[in-house]
Amino acid sequence: MQHETVIVLDFGGQYNQLIARRVRECHVYCEVHPYTLGIDKIKEMNPKGIIFTGGPNSVYAEESPRYQKEIFELGIPILGICYGSQLMAYTLGGTVETAPVSEYGKTEVKVDKSSLLFGDVEEKTICWMSHTDYISQVAPGFEIAAHTADCPVATAQNEEKKLYAIQFHPEVLHTVEGKKMLSNFVLGVCGCAGDWKMDAFVEHTIREIREKVGDGKVLLALSGGVDSSVAAGLLSRAIGKQLTLSLIHI
């Protein structure tokens, strides 16, 4: 089944699945992958856009997760969120430091409405901040598109290369106009059609399962987590009594 895809690269943030959910709410297919996903695999997937998640690390620490610079040269729009924004800036020649003032919670952000991310967003909007590091100097080719009283670079962008680094979290409900921002990125910047539907995906997946299993039987280890529970639900709908569940404790 061919469809437009946006991929979320997870750098250890707690909102990775929520970001993917928000993209799917824009009627665009989205997958979450670890930041270790290879560049060749990304090229093979040919996504319409890439989103870097937040994470608990500092980009300037040696053990922190990174990604090779080549990803920014693929011509694919990239949105970096929180740690992802700092990683983008750091990798491309900007400066990331410990912030003089940490921000946490609902914060007023002043945006540049000429930005493709913020065209339909109020000039002063409430966003959710959660950071102790900040971008103190944007990377070459970037310009500041949003700021707060304590964070001079709440958003940095290189619109020519379709690279956006935002310090706050648009995926959470506390960011009042976050859904607009993500929609602007996915539909506007990435150019997705927004014609994907979850129910069509479910029906297609069920057909695929039936074709693969045939008359065989399936044993599924069920932990009770989201992944195994969803798998159990799809398998049950697809093959019914051919499925045996085994509850495991982890």
Side-chain angles (χ1 to χ4, degrees), residues 30 43 45 56 85-86 103 137 149 163 167 176 192 194 232 247:
C30 185
K43 292 177 182 177
M45 295 173 70
S85 72
Q86 296 166 10
E103 290 181 307
Q137 178 65 49
L163 302 177
Q167 182 59 70
V176 176
C192 294
L247 186 62

Side-chain angles (χ1 to χ4, degrees), residues 142-153:
F142 281 72
E143 61 182 5
I144 297 172
H147 67 278
T148 74
D150 295 310
C151 183
V153 187

Side-chain angles (χ1 to χ4, degrees), residues 100-243:
V101 178
S102 298
E103 290 181 307
Y104 184 80
K106 295 180 180 179
T107 306
E108 183 180 82
V109 178
K110 296 181 180 178
V111 306
D112 180 354
K113 289 179 62 63
S114 68
S115 168
L116 292 177
L117 286 184
F118 304 130
D120 55 350
V121 174
E122 294 295 325
E123 187 173 356
K124 295 181 180 180
T125 188
I126 299 299
C127 300
W128 185 261
M129 287 284 192
S130 179
H131 67 101
T132 54
D133 291 340
Y134 79 131
I135 300 170
S136 58
Q137 178 65 49
V138 299
F142 281 72
E143 61 182 5
I144 297 172
H147 67 278
T148 74
D150 295 310
C151 183
V153 187
T155 299
Q157 63 184 25
N158 184 328
E159 291 206 306
E160 180 182 356
K161 295 186 177 181
K162 299 183 178 180
L163 302 177
Y164 296 84
I166 58 177
Q167 182 59 70
F168 52 87
H169 289 274
E171 69 275 18
V172 302
L173 293 178
H174 300 303
T175 297
V176 176
E177 298 181 272
K179 290 184 180 181
K180 289 183 184 178
M181 298 171 194
L182 287 173
S183 177
N184 289 341
F185 175 72
V186 171
L187 303 181
V189 176
C190 299
C192 294
D195 56 3
W196 177 81
K197 297 289 189 294
M198 176 59 82
D199 53 357
F201 172 75
V202 170
E203 293 306 316
H204 173 78
T205 302
I206 288 172
R207 286 197 301 271
E208 280 193 328
I209 292 171
R210 287 172 178 164
E211 289 173 5
K212 287 183 178 180
V213 175
D215 295 329
K217 295 186 181 298
V218 173
L219 173 64
L220 175 67
L222 181 65
S223 69
V226 173
D227 292 343
S228 64
S229 297
V230 170
L234 287 170
L235 283 164
S236 178
R237 287 183 59 180
I239 59 175
K241 294 181 179 179
Q242 293 169 251
L243 171 66

Side-chain angles (χ1 to χ4, degrees), residues 28-42:
V28 175
Y29 180 70
C30 185
E31 296 180 358
V32 179
H33 293 276
Y35 73 92
T36 52
L37 183 70
I39 193 80
D40 289 337
K41 181 62 177 178
I42 290 178

